[in-house]
Amino acid sequence: MKTLLTSIRATAFRLTFLPWILALTAGLALVSVNVGLDVEERLGDVRANILAKPASGQVYIAEIDAKSLEMVDRWPWPRAYYAKAIEKLNDAGVTLIAFDIDFSSRSTETEDQLLADAIDKSDATVILPTFRQRASNGQHEFVESLPIDVLQKNAFLASVNVSPDSRGQLNRYSYGTTTAGTTRPSLASMIAEVAGNIDQSFAIDQSIDPTTIPRLSFVDLINSNNLPPELRGKKILIGATAIELGDRYPMSRFGVLPGVVIQALASETLISGTNLGDLGKFPALLLSAILILVCITTRKISSRGLVWIAFVWVFVLVGLLLLVEYLRLFTFSNVPAFFFLSVYMLSQKLLTTTTALKTSQYVNESRHDLFQNLARRFSFLAQSENIYHVDSDMIAWLVKKEYTSNIPGHFDTASALLQAPIMAQETKIKVDMTFGISSQTLDESKIASEQALASGIRWTWHDHKFDHAI
């Protein structure tokens, strides 16, 4: 029996590595097929909610809202309005004026020149948008739409291209766009004055509350003779927020937002320095796999302990990611690590249950506890004698010779000791027992005990005439 149980434990230890191997394979598979994006974004939204913060206040939105559209009943507006806005903002002392409005088509010569002159006279930096689009439907060639020549002379150009993901959500923003060999920094990069690799993008920081970005209605801007003094030294982004003008995109946390607000959020991300480097999906996964492997190989931690360590490590990874993002160090993905830990916990639990069922064929912990307590009860009678568990439902002890003169009294005392129930773990059990006695061998005692049970008596001596029947 001891050898069998040792073998079971050795096999269980070897199988302990099986959940780890299975979980690591599952985690690596998750990385390779690039699934779990929904989970990643939901967790990102939760972290953004925890780390929520207001905008810096350095960027204002001059919004072409529904109120402003009532000013003129046609669209596009005459460019004299934009010229007037540039003049007003210069008077207010702003440092930068960025437009998220298409100026790639000509209007009247007079209107175009009015805007060009306003840009030329502006002390504030003026940024006009460019965007990359398909040459025509069904073609793979792209063209870049630029402001008309007269407007380009004294303005900076920046790309306003955005790239929604496969589900149409706009959660990342590029540092710029290259078309026909020309590199264009993004509008947000120019507003924030932050450079980046033109081929790379960053996650828009959705912990920044878009409602805290200060706004000014365009109609109030051009009609006011006394703009707020808070505008001095600020950067102004002019664009449409009215539903009628479209240009709206969904984000994972905030839902559908106007494009100009998303441009402002991207700018705020760069200004706040939360365009964090992304370590990717492997570091947390590999760190988790190494931790569990070390715990397994120590051979000092139980299966239940391993599951608890994996469970606690999930929360450690959550806290670690929150910490490094709060400190603006970097970011990483926890989803493959969470998948690895979940598969490991489930597999380890299944292995533990399977091993316990196999072991229970040979060991019954309640039977073991019952016999331990039974032995303690009989120790009042057999004070200096060993008590042995000799069969599934049988115990034995060697009685001293001096007791043989009063065998009936001896077993009457033993029966009295069984009047009260005996505990088996949390269960009370009423034990009935018959006694068999032999002066020769244990086998004869067992035969006598079985004969006493069959005869319905408390105890009996072994009789050789019973041997053949048994």
Side-chain angles (χ1 to χ4, degrees), residues 79-116:
R79 287 175 177 167
Y81 288 110
Y82 303 121
K84 188 174 183 179
I86 291 175
E87 294 170 3
K88 291 279 188 179
L89 291 171
N90 271 275
D91 292 340
V94 303
T95 60
L96 181 145
I97 304 169
F99 285 90
D100 187 18
I101 297 170
D102 182 16
F103 293 120
S104 62
S105 300
R106 295 186 180 276
S107 62
T108 67
E109 185 177 350
T110 301
E111 292 289 330
D112 291 343
Q113 193 59 51
L114 281 173
L115 180 55

Side-chain angles (χ1 to χ4, degrees), residues 4 315 423:
L4 179 61
F315 294 94
M423 297 299 298

Side-chain angles (χ1 to χ4, degrees), residues 371-382 387 414 416-423 429:
F371 276 90
Q372 288 282 356
N373 292 330
L374 186 62
R376 293 190 187 97
R377 185 76 60 86
F378 279 132
S379 65
F380 292 102
L381 181 63
I387 298 177
L417 292 173
L418 298 176
Q419 292 298 313
I422 297 175
M423 297 299 298
I429 296 179

Side-chain angles (χ1 to χ4, degrees), residues 114-408:
L114 281 173
L115 180 55
D117 291 342
I119 294 172
D120 182 35
K121 296 175 183 178
S122 176
D123 292 326
T125 300
V126 177
I127 303 174
L128 300 181
T130 73
F131 56 94
R132 184 175 182 249
Q133 59 183 341
R134 291 188 183 275
S136 63
N137 290 334
Q139 292 189 5
H140 297 288
E141 295 180 357
F142 290 85
V143 296
E144 187 174 17
S145 297
L146 304 173
I148 60 176
D149 293 340
V150 69
L151 301 180
Q152 290 187 37
K153 293 180 180 179
N154 297 291
F156 289 92
L157 303 185
S159 169
V160 293
N161 274 85
V162 292
S163 300
D165 60 26
S166 58
R167 295 162 300 166
Q169 291 187 352
L170 185 55
N171 299 312
R172 299 189 66 83
Y173 190 94
S174 68
Y175 288 99
T177 304
T178 301
T179 55
T182 302
T183 298
R184 305 288 183 188
S186 65
L187 185 62
S189 296
M190 294 200 71
I191 292 174
E193 302 179 50
V194 174
N197 191 318
I198 206 72
D199 298 323
Q200 293 182 345
S201 64
F202 59 89
I204 298 174
D205 184 0
Q206 297 191 51
S207 68
I208 300 172
D209 184 354
T211 63
T212 63
I213 300 174
R215 302 190 187 191
L216 178 66
S217 177
F218 189 89
V219 65
D220 293 337
L221 166 62
I222 62 174
N223 289 334
S224 175
N225 293 319
N226 187 22
L227 290 175
E230 293 82 9
L231 289 177
R232 181 167 297 278
K234 299 300 190 296
K235 301 175 180 181
I236 309 299
L237 180 55
I238 300 174
T241 60
I243 296 176
E244 297 91 329
L245 298 181
D247 190 30
R248 305 173 79 82
Y249 300 91
M251 300 187 75
S252 64
R253 185 184 178 203
F254 300 116
V256 178
L257 292 179
V260 68
V261 177
I262 296 177
Q263 296 283 353
L265 278 174
S267 303
E268 286 286 348
T269 300
L270 296 176
I271 290 170
S272 65
T274 51
N275 54 319
L276 305 177
D278 192 345
L279 300 183
K281 300 179 179 180
F282 283 104
L285 172 61
L286 296 181
L287 185 61
S288 302
I290 292 171
L291 171 69
I292 298 300
L293 181 62
V294 170
C295 292
I296 292 172
T297 54
T298 59
R299 304 188 67 171
K300 296 181 180 179
I301 303 175
S302 66
S303 297
R304 180 177 295 181
L306 290 170
V307 171
W308 271 106
I309 289 173
F311 181 74
V312 171
W313 184 244
V314 170
F315 294 94
V316 172
L317 287 177
V318 171
L320 180 61
L321 183 54
L322 280 171
L323 178 62
V324 297
E325 288 188 344
Y326 173 76
L327 297 176
R328 302 176 186 178
L329 299 177
F330 50 82
T331 188
F332 56 87
S333 172
N334 269 333
V335 172
F338 290 164
F339 191 61
F340 161 81
L341 293 167
S342 299
V343 173
Y344 177 78
M345 286 188 282
L346 290 173
S347 302
Q348 183 63 47
K349 186 65 177 176
L350 178 62
L351 176 64
T352 302
T353 303
T354 304
T355 304
L357 288 173
K358 188 172 182 63
T359 305
S360 67
Q361 299 177 34
Y362 308 99
V363 177
N364 186 312
E365 294 297 331
S366 298
R367 182 184 297 160
H368 175 77
D369 194 52
L370 172 66
F371 276 90
Q372 288 282 356
N373 292 330
L374 186 62
R376 293 190 187 97
R377 185 76 60 86
F378 279 132
S379 65
F380 292 102
L381 181 63
Q383 295 183 3
S384 58
E385 301 160 3
N386 292 327
I387 298 177
Y388 303 93
H389 181 191
V390 296
D391 207 342
S392 62
D393 59 350
M394 189 171 293
I395 64 170
W397 74 85
L398 300 179
V399 179
K400 294 180 179 180
K401 288 185 177 180
E402 54 263 31
Y403 294 154
T404 57
S405 60
N406 187 20
I407 288 296

